[in-house]
Amino acid sequence: MTEDEKRRRGIEDRKFYAAKQEARFEKQGLESQTPQTEHPSYKLAFQDKDFLLREELRPVRFQLELLKPEMVLDEAGVGSTLVMYGSARIPPPEAADTALEGAKDLPDEERAIVERLVAKSKYYGEARKLAKMATEKSIIENGKRQFVVCSGGGPSIMEAANRGASEAGGESIGLNIILPHEQAPNQYVTPYLSLNFHYFALRKMHFLLRARAVAVFPGGFGTFDEFFELLTLIQTGKMKPIPILLFGKEFWSRVVNFEAIAEEGTISKKDLDLFRWCETAEDAWEYLCDFYDLGC
Protein backbone atom coordinates (compact mmCIF):
# COMPACT_ATOMS: atom_id res chain seq x y z
CA MET A 1 0.00 0.00 0.00
CA THR A 2 1.43 3.39 -0.99
CA GLU A 3 1.69 6.38 1.37
CA ASP A 4 -1.06 8.13 -0.61
CA GLU A 5 -3.36 5.14 -0.20
CA LYS A 6 -2.62 5.01 3.53
CA ARG A 7 -3.49 8.68 3.85
CA ARG A 8 -6.72 8.27 1.90
CA ARG A 9 -7.78 5.40 4.16
CA GLY A 10 -6.80 7.39 7.24
CA ILE A 11 -4.43 4.70 8.55
CA GLU A 12 -1.79 7.18 9.67
CA ASP A 13 -4.00 10.19 10.30
CA ARG A 14 -4.12 11.77 13.75
CA LYS A 15 -7.34 10.88 15.50
CA PHE A 16 -7.25 13.97 17.72
CA TYR A 17 -6.56 17.60 16.93
CA ALA A 18 -3.11 18.94 17.82
CA ALA A 19 -2.85 21.42 20.69
CA LYS A 20 -2.19 24.28 18.24
CA GLN A 21 -5.45 23.52 16.44
CA GLU A 22 -7.39 23.28 19.68
CA ALA A 23 -5.99 26.65 20.74
CA ARG A 24 -7.15 28.11 17.43
CA PHE A 25 -10.63 26.63 17.92
CA GLU A 26 -10.81 28.17 21.38
CA LYS A 27 -9.85 31.59 20.04
CA GLN A 28 -12.53 31.35 17.35
CA GLY A 29 -15.09 30.31 19.92
CA LEU A 30 -14.34 33.31 22.11
CA GLU A 31 -15.56 35.73 19.45
CA SER A 32 -18.97 35.54 21.12
CA GLN A 33 -18.24 36.25 24.77
CA THR A 34 -20.38 34.91 27.60
CA PRO A 35 -19.87 35.02 31.37
CA GLN A 36 -18.68 31.45 31.18
CA THR A 37 -16.10 31.96 28.44
CA GLU A 38 -14.83 35.19 30.03
CA HIS A 39 -13.97 33.48 33.32
CA PRO A 40 -10.27 32.45 33.77
CA SER A 41 -11.31 28.91 34.62
CA TYR A 42 -12.43 28.44 31.00
CA LYS A 43 -8.94 28.95 29.57
CA LEU A 44 -7.11 25.92 28.26
CA ALA A 45 -4.65 24.94 30.98
CA PHE A 46 -1.61 25.16 28.71
CA GLN A 47 -2.57 28.70 27.64
CA ASP A 48 -3.36 29.96 31.13
CA LYS A 49 -0.22 31.85 32.23
CA ASP A 50 -1.62 32.68 35.68
CA PHE A 51 -2.29 28.98 36.22
CA LEU A 52 1.19 27.93 35.02
CA LEU A 53 2.82 30.45 37.37
CA ARG A 54 1.07 29.14 40.48
CA GLU A 55 3.23 27.81 43.29
CA GLU A 56 1.78 24.31 42.88
CA LEU A 57 2.95 24.21 39.24
CA ARG A 58 6.67 24.49 40.09
CA PRO A 59 7.30 20.80 39.21
CA VAL A 60 5.75 21.40 35.78
CA ARG A 61 7.94 24.49 35.25
CA PHE A 62 10.99 22.42 36.24
CA GLN A 63 10.06 19.90 33.58
CA LEU A 64 9.49 22.56 30.92
CA GLU A 65 12.82 24.24 31.70
CA LEU A 66 14.58 20.90 31.42
CA LEU A 67 12.77 19.91 28.22
CA LYS A 68 12.81 23.09 26.11
CA PRO A 69 16.63 23.58 25.93
CA GLU A 70 17.12 19.85 25.41
CA MET A 71 14.77 19.91 22.41
CA VAL A 72 16.30 23.10 20.98
CA LEU A 73 19.86 21.76 21.18
CA ASP A 74 18.88 18.35 19.86
CA GLU A 75 17.06 19.90 16.88
CA ALA A 76 20.13 22.11 16.28
CA GLY A 77 22.31 19.02 15.95
CA VAL A 78 24.43 19.78 19.00
CA GLY A 79 26.08 16.56 20.14
CA SER A 80 28.47 17.96 22.74
CA THR A 81 29.74 21.26 24.09
CA LEU A 82 32.85 23.04 25.25
CA VAL A 83 31.54 24.94 28.26
CA MET A 84 33.28 28.11 29.41
CA TYR A 85 32.80 29.54 32.91
CA GLY A 86 34.20 32.83 34.16
CA SER A 87 33.72 36.31 35.54
CA ALA A 88 31.15 38.80 34.31
CA ARG A 89 33.44 41.68 35.39
CA ILE A 90 36.76 41.22 33.59
CA PRO A 91 37.04 43.83 30.80
CA PRO A 92 38.06 42.96 27.25
CA PRO A 93 41.64 44.04 26.40
CA GLU A 94 40.37 46.85 24.17
CA ALA A 95 38.57 48.40 27.17
CA ALA A 96 41.55 48.12 29.54
CA ASP A 97 42.96 51.62 28.98
CA THR A 98 39.53 53.22 29.39
CA ALA A 99 38.98 51.33 32.66
CA LEU A 100 42.35 52.43 34.03
CA GLU A 101 41.76 56.02 32.98
CA GLY A 102 38.39 56.03 34.73
CA ALA A 103 39.94 54.65 37.91
CA LYS A 104 42.67 57.30 38.26
CA ASP A 105 40.75 59.44 40.73
CA LEU A 106 39.21 56.61 42.74
CA PRO A 107 40.30 55.84 46.31
CA ASP A 108 43.39 53.62 46.45
CA GLU A 109 41.49 50.44 47.35
CA GLU A 110 38.92 50.86 44.57
CA ARG A 111 41.60 51.78 42.03
CA ALA A 112 43.58 48.65 42.96
CA ILE A 113 40.52 46.48 42.29
CA VAL A 114 40.10 47.97 38.83
CA GLU A 115 43.81 47.42 38.13
CA ARG A 116 43.54 43.77 39.17
CA LEU A 117 40.52 43.23 36.93
CA VAL A 118 42.32 44.87 34.03
CA ALA A 119 45.33 42.60 34.63
CA LYS A 120 43.01 39.64 34.11
CA SER A 121 41.78 40.95 30.74
CA LYS A 122 44.31 38.59 29.15
CA TYR A 123 41.92 35.76 30.07
CA TYR A 124 39.23 37.40 27.95
CA GLY A 125 41.66 37.03 25.08
CA GLU A 126 42.44 33.39 25.91
CA ALA A 127 38.75 32.48 26.22
CA ARG A 128 38.07 34.12 22.87
CA LYS A 129 40.99 32.29 21.27
CA LEU A 130 40.04 28.89 22.72
CA ALA A 131 36.45 29.26 21.48
CA LYS A 132 37.73 30.20 18.05
CA MET A 133 40.07 27.17 17.92
CA ALA A 134 37.32 24.74 18.93
CA THR A 135 34.87 26.21 16.43
CA GLU A 136 37.35 26.19 13.55
CA LYS A 137 38.04 22.51 14.19
CA SER A 138 34.36 21.86 13.39
CA ILE A 139 34.24 18.25 14.64
CA ILE A 140 31.27 16.14 13.49
CA GLU A 141 30.55 12.71 15.01
CA ASN A 142 27.48 10.59 14.32
CA GLY A 143 25.97 13.46 12.37
CA LYS A 144 26.15 15.77 15.39
CA ARG A 145 28.30 18.82 16.03
CA GLN A 146 30.86 18.33 18.79
CA PHE A 147 32.53 20.83 21.15
CA VAL A 148 30.02 23.58 20.33
CA VAL A 149 30.98 26.56 22.49
CA CYS A 150 28.58 27.19 25.36
CA SER A 151 28.68 30.08 27.84
CA GLY A 152 26.43 31.69 30.40
CA GLY A 153 25.41 34.14 27.70
CA GLY A 154 26.40 37.28 29.61
CA PRO A 155 29.30 39.75 29.45
CA SER A 156 33.08 39.47 29.95
CA ILE A 157 34.47 35.90 29.81
CA MET A 158 31.09 34.64 28.63
CA GLU A 159 31.07 37.21 25.85
CA ALA A 160 34.62 36.25 24.90
CA ALA A 161 33.55 32.63 24.42
CA ASN A 162 30.64 33.47 22.12
CA ARG A 163 32.72 36.12 20.36
CA GLY A 164 35.50 33.68 19.49
CA ALA A 165 33.01 31.20 18.05
CA SER A 166 31.32 33.94 16.03
CA GLU A 167 34.66 35.15 14.65
CA ALA A 168 35.39 31.60 13.50
CA GLY A 169 32.14 31.66 11.53
CA GLY A 170 30.38 29.20 13.83
CA GLU A 171 27.39 29.08 16.15
CA SER A 172 27.50 29.12 19.94
CA ILE A 173 25.13 28.65 22.85
CA GLY A 174 24.24 31.12 25.60
CA LEU A 175 22.46 29.90 28.73
CA ASN A 176 21.26 33.13 30.27
CA ILE A 177 19.29 33.51 33.50
CA ILE A 178 16.73 35.99 34.80
CA LEU A 179 18.28 38.10 37.57
CA PRO A 180 16.86 40.99 39.64
CA HIS A 181 19.28 43.29 37.80
CA GLU A 182 19.23 43.30 34.03
CA GLN A 183 21.35 40.72 32.23
CA ALA A 184 20.82 40.60 28.50
CA PRO A 185 22.48 38.04 26.23
CA ASN A 186 25.71 39.28 24.70
CA GLN A 187 25.58 40.13 20.99
CA TYR A 188 27.68 37.14 19.90
CA VAL A 189 25.34 34.36 21.03
CA THR A 190 23.62 32.63 18.11
CA PRO A 191 20.03 33.92 18.42
CA TYR A 192 18.25 30.57 18.10
CA LEU A 193 20.69 29.07 20.63
CA SER A 194 20.12 31.85 23.15
CA LEU A 195 18.22 30.23 26.00
CA ASN A 196 16.84 31.81 29.16
CA PHE A 197 16.34 30.22 32.58
CA HIS A 198 14.48 30.91 35.78
CA TYR A 199 16.05 28.11 37.84
CA PHE A 200 19.80 28.11 38.51
CA ALA A 201 19.69 24.36 39.12
CA LEU A 202 18.25 23.59 35.69
CA ARG A 203 20.70 25.97 34.01
CA LYS A 204 23.66 24.28 35.69
CA MET A 205 22.30 20.89 34.68
CA HIS A 206 22.16 21.98 31.03
CA PHE A 207 25.72 23.26 31.20
CA LEU A 208 26.89 19.73 31.94
CA LEU A 209 24.44 17.45 30.11
CA ARG A 210 26.37 17.79 26.84
CA ALA A 211 29.75 18.99 28.15
CA ARG A 212 32.81 17.13 26.86
CA ALA A 213 35.18 19.72 28.36
CA VAL A 214 34.86 22.71 30.66
CA ALA A 215 37.20 25.71 30.69
CA VAL A 216 37.10 27.65 33.97
CA PHE A 217 38.49 31.19 34.11
CA PRO A 218 38.89 33.54 37.10
CA GLY A 219 35.48 34.48 38.44
CA GLY A 220 33.29 35.11 41.44
CA PHE A 221 30.63 33.23 43.39
CA GLY A 222 28.86 31.98 40.25
CA THR A 223 32.06 30.58 38.76
CA PHE A 224 33.01 29.00 42.10
CA ASP A 225 29.57 27.42 42.35
CA GLU A 226 29.74 25.95 38.85
CA PHE A 227 33.38 24.83 39.17
CA PHE A 228 33.03 23.12 42.55
CA GLU A 229 29.78 21.41 41.63
CA LEU A 230 31.53 19.99 38.57
CA LEU A 231 34.45 18.79 40.70
CA THR A 232 32.02 17.19 43.16
CA LEU A 233 30.09 15.36 40.44
CA ILE A 234 33.27 13.83 39.04
CA GLN A 235 34.88 13.18 42.44
CA THR A 236 31.80 11.28 43.64
CA GLY A 237 31.43 9.31 40.42
CA LYS A 238 28.08 10.86 39.51
CA MET A 239 29.65 12.11 36.28
CA LYS A 240 32.32 10.57 34.07
CA PRO A 241 35.66 12.44 34.03
CA ILE A 242 36.03 15.15 31.41
CA PRO A 243 38.82 17.70 30.91
CA ILE A 244 38.48 20.58 33.38
CA LEU A 245 40.76 23.33 32.10
CA LEU A 246 41.52 25.73 34.94
CA PHE A 247 42.93 29.05 33.73
CA GLY A 248 44.86 31.41 36.03
CA LYS A 249 46.95 29.52 38.55
CA GLU A 250 48.04 32.73 40.25
CA PHE A 251 44.44 33.78 40.81
CA TRP A 252 43.10 30.41 41.91
CA SER A 253 46.04 29.61 44.19
CA ARG A 254 45.53 32.95 45.93
CA VAL A 255 41.79 32.59 46.51
CA VAL A 256 41.62 28.80 47.11
CA ASN A 257 44.33 26.81 48.87
CA PHE A 258 43.76 23.48 47.15
CA GLU A 259 46.83 21.89 48.70
CA ALA A 260 45.68 22.83 52.20
CA ILE A 261 42.27 21.21 51.63
CA ALA A 262 44.07 17.98 50.70
CA GLU A 263 46.45 18.29 53.66
CA GLU A 264 43.46 18.70 55.98
CA GLY A 265 42.19 15.37 54.66
CA THR A 266 38.79 16.62 53.56
CA ILE A 267 39.67 15.72 49.97
CA SER A 268 42.16 13.21 48.63
CA LYS A 269 45.47 14.30 47.16
CA LYS A 270 44.48 12.61 43.90
CA ASP A 271 41.42 14.88 43.69
CA LEU A 272 43.81 17.67 42.71
CA ASP A 273 44.30 15.79 39.44
CA LEU A 274 40.65 16.34 38.49
CA PHE A 275 41.58 19.64 36.84
CA ARG A 276 44.38 20.77 34.55
CA TRP A 277 46.19 24.07 35.00
CA CYS A 278 46.22 26.21 31.83
CA GLU A 279 47.47 29.67 30.97
CA THR A 280 46.88 29.78 27.24
CA ALA A 281 44.28 28.58 24.78
CA GLU A 282 46.98 26.50 23.12
CA ASP A 283 47.69 24.69 26.43
CA ALA A 284 44.01 23.89 26.87
CA TRP A 285 43.37 22.78 23.29
CA GLU A 286 46.43 20.52 23.24
CA TYR A 287 45.32 18.79 26.46
CA LEU A 288 41.77 18.42 25.19
CA CYS A 289 42.99 16.91 21.90
CA ASP A 290 45.24 14.46 23.76
CA PHE A 291 42.44 13.48 26.16
CA TYR A 292 40.11 12.58 23.28
CA ASP A 293 42.80 11.53 20.80
CA LEU A 294 41.49 14.02 18.26
CA GLY A 295 44.72 14.25 16.31
CA CYS A 296 44.71 18.05 16.37
Side-chain angles (χ1 to χ4, degrees):
M1 186 181 297
T2 67
E3 293 301 315
D4 284 342
E5 288 172 332
K6 287 181 181 179
R7 278 194 292 273
R8 280 198 298 272
R9 294 181 60 178
I11 293 175
E12 293 185 352
D13 286 351
R14 293 178 63 103
K15 297 301 181 283
F16 296 96
Y17 290 112
K20 276 187 179 181
Q21 291 173 293
E22 292 284 9
R24 197 159 53 242
F25 294 157
E26 184 199 33
K27 188 175 181 180
Q28 292 168 354
L30 292 180
E31 291 174 359
S32 54
Q33 296 286 341
T34 69
Q36 291 76 21
T37 61
E38 288 179 348
H39 197 279
S41 66
Y42 190 75
K43 288 182 180 178
L44 288 168
F46 58 81
Q47 289 197 303
D48 188 342
K49 183 187 286 187
D50 290 334
F51 173 68
L52 290 173
L53 294 179
R54 285 176 58 158
E55 192 76 10
E56 301 92 332
L57 270 289
R58 181 178 286 122
V60 174
R61 295 195 298 275
F62 270 33
Q63 185 177 8
L64 292 173
E65 199 150 284
L66 175 63
L67 188 58
K68 181 182 175 180
E70 184 70 10
M71 291 173 68
V72 169
L73 296 179
D74 188 56
E75 290 167 1
V78 175
S80 70
T81 55
L82 167 59
V83 175
M84 301 176 78
Y85 294 147
S87 174
R89 302 186 183 193
I90 295 172
E94 59 265 29
D97 289 343
T98 302
L100 291 173
E101 182 66 25
K104 281 198 310 186
D105 298 325
L106 292 175
D108 291 348
E109 185 177 345
E110 293 179 29
R111 185 174 66 254
I113 290 173
V114 173
E115 290 170 351
R116 284 195 286 269
L117 283 172
V118 165
K120 286 188 275 292
S121 66
K122 63 182 179 182
Y123 293 116
Y124 182 106
E126 296 304 325
R128 181 178 172 185
K129 193 187 306 181
L130 178 59
K132 189 173 182 181
M133 293 168 73
T135 305
E136 287 175 339
K137 185 67 177 175
S138 190
I139 298 171
I140 306 291
E141 291 178 2
N142 302 320
K144 297 278 190 177
R145 294 183 284 168
Q146 308 300 324
F147 299 102
V148 177
V149 170
C150 175
S151 85
S156 191
I157 296 297
M158 296 173 278
E159 176 189 278
N162 299 114
R163 183 177 180 180
S166 178
E167 289 170 342
E171 298 182 337
S172 66
I173 302 160
L175 305 185
N176 219 287
I177 188 160
I178 297 292
L179 298 174
H181 54 278
E182 183 179 357
Q183 178 171 312
N186 69 67
Q187 63 180 309
Y188 302 104
V189 179
T190 301
Y192 85 103
L193 298 178
S194 182
L195 298 159
N196 204 8
F197 289 81
H198 171 60
Y199 299 106
F200 264 110
L202 272 298
R203 178 177 181 248
K204 287 195 294 180
M205 189 172 184
H206 275 292
F207 272 130
L208 299 181
L209 279 174
R210 282 176 163 79
R212 282 183 80 179
V214 176
V216 184
F217 292 84
F221 287 157
T223 304
F224 276 59
D225 177 35
E226 292 155 351
F227 174 43
F228 280 97
E229 179 168 310
L230 173 57
L231 288 176
T232 302
L233 288 168
I234 295 177
Q235 181 208 44
T236 57
K238 291 292 287 183
M239 179 177 173
K240 293 178 181 178
I242 62 173
I244 302 175
L245 311 162
L246 189 57
F247 282 76
K249 188 170 185 178
E250 182 181 352
F251 167 82
W252 287 104
S253 297
R254 179 168 181 256
V255 298
V256 181
N257 193 333
F258 293 104
E259 295 289 341
I261 301 174
E263 288 168 4
E264 291 293 327
T266 53
I267 65 170
S268 170
K269 189 78 172 175
K270 68 179 182 180
D271 291 332
L272 300 181
D273 295 329
L274 293 176
F275 55 85
R276 172 85 170 198
W277 291 112
C278 298
E279 287 301 322
T280 68
E282 289 81 4
D283 292 341
W285 186 247
E286 182 180 356
Y287 178 68
L288 194 155
C289 288
D290 288 344
F291 188 94
Y292 287 111
D293 193 22
L294 297 177
C296 299

